[in-house]
Amino acid sequence: MNNPGSGKSTDLFNSLGFQWNREAIPQNAPVHDVNRACFRLQKMLAQYVWDAVVLEGNPFTYPQVKTILDGITVGGHRLSDQDQVRNLAASTKELLRLVKTGSFKLDKDTFTALHAMVAREEALEWGHFRGEGGEQHYTPHVGLGEAGDYIPPETQPNASDLNRIFSDGLAQLEQLPDPLERGMAFFLFGALQQFFFDGNKRTSRMMMNGVLMSNGMDAISIPAARAQEFNEKMVDFYVTRNAAAMMDFLVQCHPDAQLMKSAEASDQKTAAMSTGDVASRIRSAGN
């Protein structure tokens, strides 16, 4: 389990803008070969893209997403919804290429390059932080329903504050030794700070999965069936700045969640038995 120094965790939380229980992050996520992790995502590409578009409220069904990925158009839908499917497929393939070739990096260049593909023709601008393009003043709000709006750091010319926030946050994230914790934290960091006008969660999940796969861990996809739960927990995250529930949710969505849970239960049982043995020896010595 994690046993981070309180000072280091405070710096981490302050830089990212939120906190979580670091000791609750599993330390036993199975590690595979990088190519194996990439192969798994490639095989489930249609499922991964469909899960992602459902989170965006896109009406395409899973069979329709498969049809689009096969290069065949589907009638009866807005072109913007179809473009979103294609953008997610193209950006996921690019992510796989970066990981397979060892070119993936947790940095701004990779982040903005993936965003240029994820949000093409959908966001107000794409491929750079808010304030680095033509629009230098408009600050988007994140609607939270009954909880009102979440207002991220304001858009400024040249994205001066956003670049500082990103640089400081990245410096702290790079000190996290566990890829699972580092990847999940980056996703929530990007979702909270809203570095782009749109497509923040989608692009930040891409970066999370880039971290995981680059370290031989399987990618995380949020199942379409759990979209409402995801949205509810994200609202709570925006309101409270506490990521504990979202971290746990992401772990539950990991393909190896059951293995991690079983291994943790086994470790706890072994620890309990060891504690019992020590107590028994102490009692015997006392007699």
Side-chain angles (χ1 to χ4, degrees):
M1 301 294 285
N2 282 308
N3 186 25
S6 58
K8 291 182 178 180
S9 289
T10 298
D11 291 342
L12 171 68
F13 297 157
N14 287 340
S15 294
L16 299 183
F18 58 93
Q19 61 183 350
W20 66 93
N21 178 11
R22 296 196 59 203
E23 295 188 358
I25 305 298
Q27 296 295 292
N28 54 6
V31 176
H32 313 283
D33 179 78
V34 172
N35 287 329
R36 184 268 190 200
C38 289
F39 178 75
R40 180 188 170 278
L41 180 58
Q42 190 167 334
K43 290 290 288 183
M44 62 170 288
L45 179 63
Q47 181 71 48
Y48 181 79
V49 171
W50 181 61
D51 285 342
V53 299
V54 167
L55 295 184
E56 301 302 316
N58 190 310
F60 270 86
T61 64
Y62 175 66
Q64 289 172 333
V65 166
K66 289 193 67 176
T67 300
I68 292 293
L69 267 57
D70 288 337
I72 303 171
T73 59
V74 175
H77 288 281
R78 295 183 302 177
L79 289 176
S80 58
D81 289 334
Q82 181 171 276
D83 288 343
Q84 186 179 76
V85 172
R86 287 175 170 165
N87 286 347
L88 278 163
S91 53
T92 303
K93 290 177 182 177
E94 172 62 8
L95 173 65
L96 286 166
R97 186 193 69 80
L98 291 172
V99 174
K100 287 178 182 178
T101 60
S103 303
F104 176 84
K105 294 181 180 179
L106 190 65
D107 60 11
K108 182 182 175 182
D109 286 345
T110 304
F111 194 27
T112 53
L114 286 173
H115 182 263
M117 301 182 74
V118 169
R120 181 175 178 80
E121 301 293 348
E122 181 177 352
L124 176 61
E125 296 174 354
W126 52 90
H128 53 250
F129 284 179
R130 290 186 284 117
E132 292 182 333
E135 178 54 59
Q136 300 187 342
H137 300 288
Y138 168 66
T139 300
H141 295 184
V142 180
L144 305 179
E146 295 179 356
D149 287 339
Y150 163 69
I151 304 176
E154 67 177 10
T155 302
Q156 298 175 333
N158 301 314
S160 54
D161 276 358
L162 285 176
N163 276 296
R164 175 188 55 78
I165 290 170
F166 185 81
S167 179
D168 291 349
L170 194 62
Q172 292 294 324
L173 285 169
E174 288 174 341
Q175 297 181 39
L176 296 180
D178 176 32
L180 179 61
E181 182 178 29
R182 186 165 67 251
M184 295 191 301
F186 185 92
F187 159 57
L188 294 170
F189 177 49
L192 182 70
Q193 302 299 342
Q194 296 281 298
F195 294 100
F196 309 110
F197 288 109
D198 199 359
N200 290 280
K201 291 192 291 293
R202 278 169 282 165
T203 311
S204 298
R205 285 199 304 273
M206 290 266 184
M207 295 294 285
M208 170 184 73
N209 285 328
V211 172
L212 297 184
M213 291 189 296
S214 294
N215 286 275
M217 295 181 180
D218 283 334
I220 294 174
S221 184
I222 311 300
R226 302 188 70 175
Q228 181 176 343
E229 185 181 357
F230 170 79
N231 290 327
E232 290 172 350
K233 291 185 184 300
M234 284 301 295
V235 168
D236 183 67
F237 166 66
Y238 283 121
V239 171
T240 66
R241 308 293 181 89
N242 188 322
M246 269 307 306
M247 290 281 195
D248 180 63
F249 177 79
L250 290 170
V251 170
Q252 291 177 31
C253 293
H254 192 280
D256 291 320
Q258 286 301 116
L259 286 176
M260 287 188 275
K261 184 176 180 180
S262 298
E264 184 176 5
S266 178
D267 290 344
Q268 291 175 348
K269 182 178 180 180
T270 300
M273 292 176 63
S274 297
T275 302
D277 289 343
V278 171
S280 177
R281 288 197 295 271
I282 292 174
R283 286 195 296 271
S284 295
N287 293 332

